Amino acid sequence: MAASGRGLCKAVAASPFPAWRRAHTEAGGGLKPEYDAVVIGAGHNGLVAAAYLQRLGVNTAVFERRHVIGGAAVTEEIIPGFKFSRASYLLSLLRPQIYTDLELKKHGLRLHLRNPHSFTPMLEEGVGSKVPRSLLLGTDMAENQKQIAQFSRKDAQVFPKYEEFMHRLALAIYPLLDAAPVDMAAFQRGSLLQRMRSLSTLKPLLKAGRILGTQLPRYYEVLTAPITKVLDQWFESEPLKATLATDAVIGAMTSPHTPGSGYVLLHHVMGSLEGMQGAWAYVQGGMGALSDAIASSATTHGASIFTEKTVAKVQVNSEGCVQGVVLEDGTEVRSKMVLSNTSPQITFLKLTPQEWLPEEFLERISQLDTRSPVTKINVAVDRLPSFLAAPNAPRGQPLPHHQCSIHLNCEDTLLLHQAFEDAVDGLPSHRPMIELCIPSSLDPTLAPPGCHVVSLFTQYTPYTLAGGKAWDEQERDAYADRAQLTA
């Protein structure tokens, strides 16, 4: 495999003139001195905000630091001819209402739903005379049970009940994502009228409680307990428990033994695409195509999107009211509304004048821990990976397991915990947990004929190495080599 670790700095946008840019240009999209609203950063959340504002008639401008929009949802040609979803790589948790309201399908969004969706080869069994096994999971429950029975007949029998249990919890929690949170301040200190009005925020919670019924204590445990405690109550086979546990730790500096990791798993099974609960999909053209579709929806209604325009600071008048932004080149853009799609730390500690913010608030922002244990490795290959447990087809065409999230070093929850402990000690995991995806198995537009793009979502890598050692090129290459040897 040829890693894409070198040459990352000089990335090329995969779509040189997307629909959103054409719409912006045709509308005479020059920079104006004043807008009703300004959005800092053209990540997908900022683009969604701009699209909704513009649909309401709020004249909105978006300023993006990079040459390409999308933030984490971008497609870039890191290697000529190979289009990578450079950061995020799968779609599921986009709210259905956004999908519908912004008419994303009309604006070019095309999805490749995955079934089966999870493949875990038993790497340790591919030694000596042992016949390696694997665990392949999808939407066919009978086939899932057949796969699980390789490891435990008991687990195969109970798996449908577990799935129904988690589906019920997702059904209860899912609507809360679109509901306003309970207004505790109004309950505690508001007037009688405010308290009465705040009662309406309780309705979604009461509805969720009715769905969960007498099982509420068990569901509460899922949200607060370590995922190992939850899974141990259901299953006995480690390959199944470890495969499920990957969704409880992926992207988070947590172990399967960390309290609260159960919620992370729930979060990952709560998604929905095109009416299919729990579905995950590859976006045709890479994740940047999602951002392009949102931007097209925004610019079609008149929003302005500017790339390579870095916001240097938010302007605040003498009365403490926002009055616009100043770009890095000194250009002032007036606006009575500024939305920030950057991190809280950058928004409040760097862009906003400190004198207008309470000290206690600034201290809380400075203490936010947004560090991630993930190192993403994008790889271009001239053939599909072949596994001892599932060898490639004679002609090299993609097989069902190639479209899955392929879990490596995930045969046992202890392996996941040991990988976590390495990072706690300041060391890159000796056997990193890897989620390997091959989007070109379903979307051939991403790579030249016969070739593929491979995403290695790996963890755990600490931000700071033990002994103050720097993450220099040698350390990065050593970790990349270790991850690829595993893969």
Side-chain angles (χ1 to χ4, degrees), residues 58-74:
V58 179
N59 189 22
T60 304
V62 184
F63 296 107
E64 168 57 40
R65 175 181 60 85
R66 298 193 67 214
H67 65 281
V68 59
I69 65 167
V74 293

Side-chain angles (χ1 to χ4, degrees), residues 189-206:
R189 297 184 294 275
S191 64
L192 180 61
L193 180 60
Q194 288 174 321
R195 292 182 184 185
M196 294 295 291
R197 285 175 177 170
S198 65
L199 286 175
S200 63
T201 63
L202 282 174
K203 289 181 181 178
L205 276 178
L206 295 174

Side-chain angles (χ1 to χ4, degrees), residues 19 55 91 94-113 272-276 281-284 289-298 300-301:
R55 281 170 172 262
L91 181 66
L94 181 71
R95 307 303 299 144
Q97 186 176 349
I98 295 173
Y99 190 96
T100 303
D101 288 351
L102 301 189
E103 302 175 290
L104 297 186
K105 188 171 281 191
K106 171 185 169 184
H107 288 282
L109 184 62
R110 300 289 180 269
L111 305 179
H112 294 282
L113 294 168
S272 175
L273 284 175
E274 299 188 347
M276 292 181 61
Y282 295 124
V283 176
Q284 174 88 16
L290 167 65
S291 300
D292 286 344
I294 300 170
S296 176
S297 178
T300 296
H301 288 81

Side-chain angles (χ1 to χ4, degrees), residues 12 39 47 52 89 124 146 182 190 215 224 231 266 290 293 333 342 374 380 387 397 402 415 440 454 456 463 480:
V12 180
V39 179
L47 294 171
Y52 273 105
Y89 55 102
E124 291 180 347
K146 182 180 175 182
V182 175
Q215 293 263 43
T224 58
L231 294 176
L266 172 67
L290 167 65
V333 181
T342 66
V374 171
F387 300 90
Q397 68 269 31
H402 285 122
L415 281 176
S440 51
V454 178
L456 300 174
Y463 259 59

Side-chain angles (χ1 to χ4, degrees), residues 145-289:
Q145 289 180 284
K146 182 180 175 182
Q147 288 281 320
I148 295 168
Q150 297 177 89
F151 307 96
S152 166
R153 293 188 179 278
K154 173 182 172 291
D155 288 357
Q157 291 176 344
V158 80
F159 188 68
K161 295 178 182 177
Y162 166 81
E163 287 283 275
E164 176 56 33
F165 176 83
M166 293 301 292
H167 175 73
R168 193 174 192 84
L169 180 55
L171 195 67
I173 301 297
Y174 192 68
L176 299 180
L177 300 180
D178 293 322
V182 175
D183 190 346
M184 295 304 298
F187 271 121
Q188 294 170 353
R189 297 184 294 275
S191 64
L192 180 61
L193 180 60
Q194 288 174 321
R195 292 182 184 185
M196 294 295 291
R197 285 175 177 170
S198 65
L199 286 175
S200 63
T201 63
L202 282 174
K203 289 181 181 178
L205 276 178
L206 295 174
K207 186 176 180 181
R210 284 197 298 270
I211 292 173
L212 300 179
T214 57
Q215 293 263 43
L216 184 59
R218 288 191 71 193
Y219 285 118
Y220 177 78
E221 186 174 55
V222 173
L223 299 178
T224 58
I227 193 59
T228 47
K229 182 178 180 181
V230 175
L231 294 176
D232 285 346
Q233 294 172 5
W234 288 92
F235 307 117
E236 62 185 11
S237 61
E238 279 300 325
L240 176 59
K241 289 192 287 186
T243 295
L244 297 174
T246 59
D247 276 339
V249 300
I250 192 163
M253 188 57 184
T254 57
S255 157
H257 298 304
T258 303
S261 53
Y263 172 75
V264 183
L265 182 144
L266 172 67
H267 187 75
H268 282 95
V269 302
M270 245 186 336
S272 175
L273 284 175
E274 299 188 347
M276 292 181 61
Q277 191 72 34
W280 288 76
Y282 295 124
V283 176
Q284 174 88 16
M287 291 299 288

